[in-house]
Amino acid sequence: MSELSHKDWIGKASAIHFRDRAFIDGKTVAARSGRTFASVNPATGEVLAEVASCGEEDIDLAVTAARRSFNAGVWSRTSPAHRKEVLLRLAQLLRENLHELALLESLDMGKLVGDAATVDVPGSAAIFQWYGEAIDKIYGEVAPTGEGDLVLVRREPLGVVGAVVPWNFPLDMATWKCAPALAAGNSVVLKPAEQSPLSALRLAELAMEAGLPAGVLNVVPGLGETAGQALGRHMDVDCLAFTGSTAVGKMFLQYSGQSNMKQVWLETGGKSPNLVFADCSDLDAAADMAAFGIFFNQGEVCSANSRLLVQRGIKDALVDRLVRRAAAMQPGDPLDPASKMGAMVDARHAANVMRFVEAGKKTARLVAGGDLVTVNGRGSFVQPTIFDDVAPADMIARDEIFGPVLSVIAFDDEAEAIRIANDSPYGLAASLWTDSLSRAHRIAGRLHAGTVSVNTVDALSPMTPFGGFKQSGFGRDLSLHALDKYTALKTTWIKY
């Protein structure tokens, strides 16, 4: 990414073409109602495009197309080797269109274009490649029955998968759902967040270019209360995969019960703890990663390490290091490679983050940031913010803020650290820092979190499952385990 300057990115952004229509059955179409919504650049307040606002009728058309393609077998009954070939081609197309996709991510939701170009887009390509490579290596089973019986157990695709994804990593989150669902042979109806629909619409075009048949991947932009609800309630959707807030996840569970009892897989909120023990010899590394864990992507990360639990004897030394790092990570133009943080996704979300900041000022000690700022007089940007002397019961220590706000909490011993870390309605991720291998294993086993990162933060890979406990949801994205969500086991019992 170093070869592109601020001026280069601005030039590329001025020439970009925004897709603004739904993608249903291999064609771009307007919403049947004619309604649109504005896709806004949060760094400038400028309207990028008026995007089709799909409703119940559009969702039904997309689901019908998905069902028709599934029943026709143009994808569902093709060989795993063929699906592999198409997904590998799609991964390559993502790489070939790196700059365009990175700009769509940055302009649409405010993230740093450098992060989108080095993390988001390459990561999405890698995941499509990983599932493409994996799918022709998944074997069925032969049950250990007696003579005269042959019992086969096979994985079969479910049918039509609905996917509802958030705005913080638009392309990545779409990929996390679509790659395993498509690899398994399903047809997909994808609803991107209304704040960030542009990269998903481009993904649909690239998937067709890669060889995906019409109707297999449909993208229906729209509002949650219309398009999202219609997808959740649809009687012909076999499975609904969702990443987003816990409150909306609970609504999808209700929609399932009110309709056809479709499977619902949820990855929802988080309030991840980061535990630093006094036997951590490299406080600089701990500070670097603690800053990354809360300020990366403006803190708009479900697994952000937003609670920093520090053993009392080293707390002040670690906080001093973090304050210096926060000072060096002030927000700037997302298209400037020199910027360290981008814009919040929209003014409404920025105001909500600031509501938590103002509450924190009343109960804890503000040691860094705390202001809503503009860049070149425009946009919605929140400074990297750190509160020290936070009580575990404070609102900023319990509620998911989804912004660059860190709560520092002191503890005295392991038992107290574990108690504070687990005292949360969420259980998505956790991190811990220690030079003791025994302590690392001991504490990792007692933290109620789907992923525990030791001497790093928020570690993930296509090879490892990602998901949580408690109100962080259930089911797992990434790894071979994600295929469990999008397949069903079929037993065929043969007497001979």
Side-chain angles (χ1 to χ4, degrees):
M1 282 316 312
S2 59
E3 78 275 8
L4 292 184
S5 67
H6 190 194
K7 183 179 179 180
D8 293 332
W9 281 117
I10 292 174
K12 286 181 176 291
S14 68
I16 201 165
H17 170 58
F18 300 111
R19 279 71 177 173
D20 58 7
R21 292 154 66 91
F23 196 91
I24 298 175
D25 204 14
K27 301 180 290 293
T28 59
V29 295
R32 295 300 289 264
S33 67
R35 294 191 179 94
T36 63
F37 62 89
S39 178
V40 178
N41 181 345
T44 65
E46 296 171 341
V47 175
L48 301 171
E50 291 289 342
V51 179
S53 185
C54 294
E56 185 174 352
E57 188 175 4
D58 306 288
I59 295 295
D60 189 57
L61 289 171
V63 173
T64 299
R67 178 62 64 190
R68 183 168 57 247
S69 71
F70 182 80
N71 289 343
V74 292
W75 182 253
S76 59
R77 293 198 296 274
T78 59
S79 69
H82 174 70
R83 298 200 296 271
K84 168 184 176 176
E85 180 182 354
V86 173
L87 294 183
L88 291 182
R89 176 60 180 150
L90 177 54
Q92 183 59 30
L93 287 172
L94 292 177
R95 296 185 177 105
E96 291 173 6
N97 292 272
L98 172 69
H99 292 162
E100 178 192 9
L101 291 165
L103 280 166
L104 290 175
E105 298 289 89
S106 178
L107 295 172
D108 214 10
M109 63 76 56
K111 70 168 64 230
L112 297 178
V113 72
D115 286 346
T118 57
V119 179
D120 297 46
V121 181
S124 293
I127 289 169
F128 272 111
Q129 178 177 340
W130 195 89
Y131 281 104
E133 292 282 8
I135 198 59
D136 62 355
K137 302 170 184 66
I138 304 297
Y139 291 82
E141 303 169 9
V142 177
T145 53
E147 186 175 354
D149 293 302
L150 176 63
V151 181
L152 308 177
V153 181
R154 302 177 58 193
R155 288 187 177 276
E156 295 195 352
L158 292 174
V160 177
V161 172
V164 180
V165 298
W167 46 257
N168 57 335
F169 293 93
L171 183 62
D172 256 348
M173 294 296 99
T175 298
W176 284 25
K177 309 302 186 191
C178 292
L182 292 172
N186 297 283
S187 294
V188 177
V189 178
L190 169 65
K191 194 206 88 67
E194 55 265 35
Q195 297 89 341
S196 57
L198 300 179
S199 60
L201 293 168
R202 183 66 176 123
L203 173 66
E205 289 184 345
L206 293 174
M208 286 283 290
E209 185 179 340
L212 203 68
V216 176
L217 176 59
N218 307 274
V219 179
V220 281
L223 307 183
E225 57 267 28
T226 51
Q229 182 175 168
L231 193 57
R233 291 180 182 273
H234 202 286
M235 294 294 291
D236 202 27
V237 172
D238 299 294
C239 167
L240 193 291
F242 170 76
T243 293
S245 72
T246 297
V248 175
K250 292 178 179 179
M251 294 172 68
F252 277 109
L253 289 173
Q254 294 179 44
Y255 298 155
S256 172
Q258 293 162 358
S259 55
N260 62 338
M261 293 176 60
K262 61 179 64 64
Q263 297 181 38
V264 176
W265 300 104
L266 304 176
E267 194 266 280
T268 51
K271 193 69 178 176
S272 300
N274 183 8
L275 289 64
V276 183
F277 288 87
D279 66 354
C280 171
S281 60
D282 193 347
L283 282 187
D284 286 322
D288 287 341
M289 295 306 292
F292 172 82
I294 185 58
F295 301 139
F296 174 68
N297 207 54
Q298 303 76 247
E300 296 167 328
V301 182
C302 56
S303 54
N305 284 224
S306 54
R307 291 186 292 153
L308 181 63
L309 281 55
V310 190
Q311 200 151 20
R312 199 173 302 277
I314 60 168
K315 181 178 74 70
D316 291 345
L318 184 57
V319 169
D320 287 344
R321 286 168 168 82
L322 278 166
V323 169
R324 292 196 297 271
R325 284 157 176 79
M329 296 182 69
Q330 298 304 304
D333 182 351
L335 298 186
D336 187 348
S339 296
K340 304 301 182 185
M341 277 179 48
M344 307 307 290
V345 70
D346 57 27
R348 179 180 176 183
H349 182 59
N352 189 55
V353 171
M354 290 306 300
R355 179 176 64 86
F356 283 102
V357 171
E358 294 306 315
K361 291 176 180 178
K362 298 176 183 177
T363 60
R365 183 167 64 93
L366 179 68
V367 295
D371 289 327
L372 180 68
V373 298
T374 61
V375 172
N376 299 321
R378 301 187 296 177
S380 300
F381 300 80
V382 174
Q383 292 179 318
T385 298
I386 302 172
F387 286 100
D388 195 5
D389 301 328
V390 177
D394 287 352
M395 182 172 75
I396 58 171
R398 297 199 64 79
D399 292 354
E400 184 177 35
I401 300 173
F402 223 63
V405 181
L406 179 66
S407 296
V408 181
I409 303 169
F411 67 84
D412 290 308
D413 55 32
E414 279 189 22
E416 184 182 17
I418 294 167
R419 178 181 59 78
I420 295 171
N422 287 336
D423 184 19
S424 170
Y426 303 111
L428 185 55
S431 301
L432 70 99
W433 293 78
T434 176
D435 286 357
S436 167
L437 182 61
S438 295
R439 171 174 280 160
H441 283 295
R442 184 167 60 245
I443 294 178
R446 296 187 61 189
L447 292 174
H448 301 321
T451 298
V452 178
S453 304
V454 179
N455 293 337
T456 186
V457 301
D458 210 16
L460 60 85
S461 161
M463 297 177 290
T464 56
F466 181 90
F469 302 157
K470 299 188 283 188
Q471 292 190 52
S472 289
F474 47 86
R476 293 295 183 265
D477 288 315
L478 303 180
S479 81
L480 295 179
H481 296 284
L483 296 171
D484 295 341
K485 300 188 297 187
Y486 305 120
T487 57
L489 295 176
K490 173 178 282 186
T491 299
T492 302
W493 194 300
I494 301 168
K495 301 289 286 187
Y496 68 91

